[in-house]
Amino acid sequence: MALEKLGKALNSALKKLARSRTVDEATIKEVVRDIQRALIQADVNVRMVLQLTKTIEKRALEEEPPAGASKKEHIIQIVYEELTKFLGKEAKPLEIKEKPTILLTVGIQGSGKTTSVAKLARHLQKRGYKVGLVCSDTWRPGAYFQLKQLVEPLGIEVFGDPEEKDAVKLAREGVEYFKEKGVDVIIVDSAGRHKEESGLIEEMRQISEAIKPHEVILVIDGTIGQQAYNQALAFKEATPIGSIIVTKLDGSAKGGGALSAVAATGAPIKFIGVGERIDDLEAFDPKRFVSRLLGMGDIEGLLEKLEELQKQQEFKEEDMEKFLKGKFNLKDMYAQLEAMQNMGPLKQILQMIPGLGYSLPDDMVKVGEEKLRKYRVIMDSMTDEELENPEIINYSRIKRIARGSGTSTAEVRELLNQYNQMKKMFKSMDKRKLAKMAKKFNFGGLGI
Ligand SMILES: Nc1nc2c(ncn2[C@@H]2O[C@H](COP(=O)(O)OP(=O)(O)O)[C@@H](O)[C@H]2O)c(=O)[nH]1
Ligand SMILES: [Mg+2]
């Protein structure tokens, strides 16, 4: 994975949060400081880091977690959201609309253009596109053979002429050649022998005029860190049809700096290079990237579940008091069971986050949809008196309820057993444990 060091540092900041006993202002400030340190070490621009972490801190201190989610989960969500925004928010996939779609890559020599062209050709080939490559690099000896060597084993053709000195002519001829061949995508690899932005942009202009590309792709070396900003900005201003590939993010300590700098210009990052092999190219998706960076496995799943929870009902204060006193009836039990079914996702969330986790026996709260429906049917055949005071339900009542609900006496007894068990459990549970659980589940504002 790219940016391992940054990922580890961010992950350990969040782990520290997950392990902390309370989440107060000091905890939040410490997490924010850890995140700052991690980003600055990855060469992210200091001003940008401060801005980002200020937002995280403000939101963490001021926003209330959604019902059913803990403060910790909510802070993790905030960190995830803000980092995602920091890197461009939405994925901007490469679109192949016209046939042929013509792509031109530009970038300073050594940035990884030729490698990226080969990787991109492979990426598109895997998606069913027929791709033709044009080498218009007249500067570097062996440029044509380098590209050929990379893609020939894949059956991808390269147009070029090692003897030709006119890059613009080569580009034009190559595009004509593949147009006649009827490929879906033509990618032109240029020389990029320039040391700075202006020369690069001039080369792009010249070749662009000749071949009219649908998209110009700037290839930026990720190891230059936040210096990528100027290159990306100049490029973005020069072309409305530009996108960016950031390369060498594998093992680069400055990758975070490069990515965030490019994102800050608003130029879309479409791919990242994460190794020297032909398959080491990834379509860039800020969401997926950040969740992997944070190392939280399935953080997207976690966020979906948090959203789900937001929609769910909060436990009511009176319910909680009844729980605490062990004084609840069948109606309450049903309501609680119903709510706990919805807690299912929450339990998974808690398991995803190291250091959290809760201790209610699974079979006690998770009776399942099917059973809940049956309970409902059975309870519909009970009188109000029975629902409110289940202790009065004797054998003859059980028989009547079973007959009325079309169930068996065993099933009615099972419901009553469940009730008795829950009641007993809540009675025996020590208050501290229950309060802890209530806090985790955000059972209303009981202040316990
Ligand atoms: N580790 C790593 N190396 C890369 C990556 N992309 C390119 N390179 C290496 O960078 C060097 C220059 O790449 P090249 O494609 O020739 O750059 P060009 O001059 O812009 O065409 C080569 O040694 C590549 O193997 C990448 O994503 N990761
Ligand atoms: Mg090259």
Side-chain angles (χ1 to χ4, degrees), residues 106-117 119 137 140 143 146 150 189-192 219 221 223 245-251 272-277 280-281:
V106 297
I108 287 168
Q109 187 165 31
S111 59
K113 277 186 309 301
T114 304
T115 315
S116 298
V117 165
K119 288 173 175 176
D137 181 354
R140 185 172 174 170
Q146 184 197 1
L150 285 167
D189 183 19
S190 63
V219 177
D221 184 335
T223 62
I245 298 181
V246 182
T247 64
K248 307 184 197 179
L249 287 180
D250 50 307
I272 53 176
V274 292
E276 293 190 71
R277 292 171 310 122
D280 293 334
L281 182 80

Side-chain angles (χ1 to χ4, degrees), residues 171-307:
R172 193 189 298 116
E173 284 176 5
V175 167
E176 281 314 312
Y177 174 80
F178 284 116
K179 269 187 180 165
E180 260 164 50
K181 280 222 143 184
V183 300
D184 303 306
V185 187
I186 303 168
I187 312 175
V188 179
D189 183 19
S190 63
R193 60 196 141 95
H194 315 282
K195 281 273 158 284
E196 42 359 278
E197 295 91 56
S198 55
L200 210 60
I201 283 156
E202 191 41 42
E203 178 176 26
M204 175 188 90
R205 285 225 168 90
Q206 283 178 19
I207 302 181
S208 282
E209 234 164 78
I211 65 168
K212 307 267 184 296
H214 294 85
E215 188 161 323
V216 184
I217 303 171
L218 174 66
V219 177
I220 289 188
D221 184 335
T223 62
I224 67 171
Q226 58 176 302
Q227 283 178 44
Y229 183 81
N230 288 334
Q231 247 184 69
L233 189 65
F235 175 72
K236 184 182 181 257
E237 283 168 356
T239 174
I241 52 163
S243 63
I244 292 181
I245 298 181
V246 182
T247 64
K248 307 184 197 179
L249 287 180
D250 50 307
S252 161
K254 292 183 169 184
L259 276 176
S260 53
V262 173
T265 68
I269 302 169
K270 293 206 174 164
F271 294 93
I272 53 176
V274 292
E276 293 190 71
R277 292 171 310 122
I278 193 123
D279 285 309
D280 293 334
L281 182 80
E282 288 176 14
F284 184 65
D285 176 349
K287 285 189 182 137
R288 218 157 24 114
F289 185 82
V290 171
S291 57
R292 266 173 46 201
L293 191 63
L294 296 182
M296 315 239 24
D298 184 21
I299 204 165
E300 277 217 49
L302 174 134
L303 294 161
E304 268 164 33
K305 277 156 198 161
L306 277 174
E307 267 168 33

Side-chain angles (χ1 to χ4, degrees), residues 1 57 76-77 160 166 183 185 194 225 243 276 281 286 307 315 332 340 345 370 436 438:
M1 163 69 192
E57 183 175 314
I76 291 170
Q77 184 185 25
D166 185 344
V183 300
V185 187
H194 315 282
S243 63
E276 293 190 71
L281 182 80
E307 267 168 33
F315 270 68
D332 299 322
M340 297 243 201
E370 194 68 41
K436 231 167 93 185

Side-chain angles (χ1 to χ4, degrees), residues 91-104 120 123-124 127 129 184-187 213-217 241-243 268-271 283:
K92 287 155 188 131
L94 176 70
E95 287 177 1
I96 308 297
K97 281 190 200 142
E98 256 176 86
K99 183 181 172 173
T101 291
I102 301 165
L103 307 173
L104 168 65
L120 193 54
H123 173 89
L124 292 166
R127 278 148 191 83
Y129 296 109
D184 303 306
V185 187
I186 303 168
I187 312 175
H214 294 85
E215 188 161 323
V216 184
I217 303 171
I241 52 163
S243 63
I269 302 169
K270 293 206 174 164
F271 294 93

Side-chain angles (χ1 to χ4, degrees), residues 373-382 397-409 411-412 415:
R373 245 192 321 273
K374 190 149 270 172
Y375 285 178
R376 177 86 260 169
V377 172
I378 293 170
M379 286 167 63
D380 281 344
S381 285
M382 290 181 183
R397 283 179 192 257
I398 290 176
K399 272 204 297 197
R400 192 210 80 239
I401 293 164
R403 223 179 309 119
S405 59
T407 56
S408 65
T409 52
E411 282 169 315
V412 178
L415 167 65

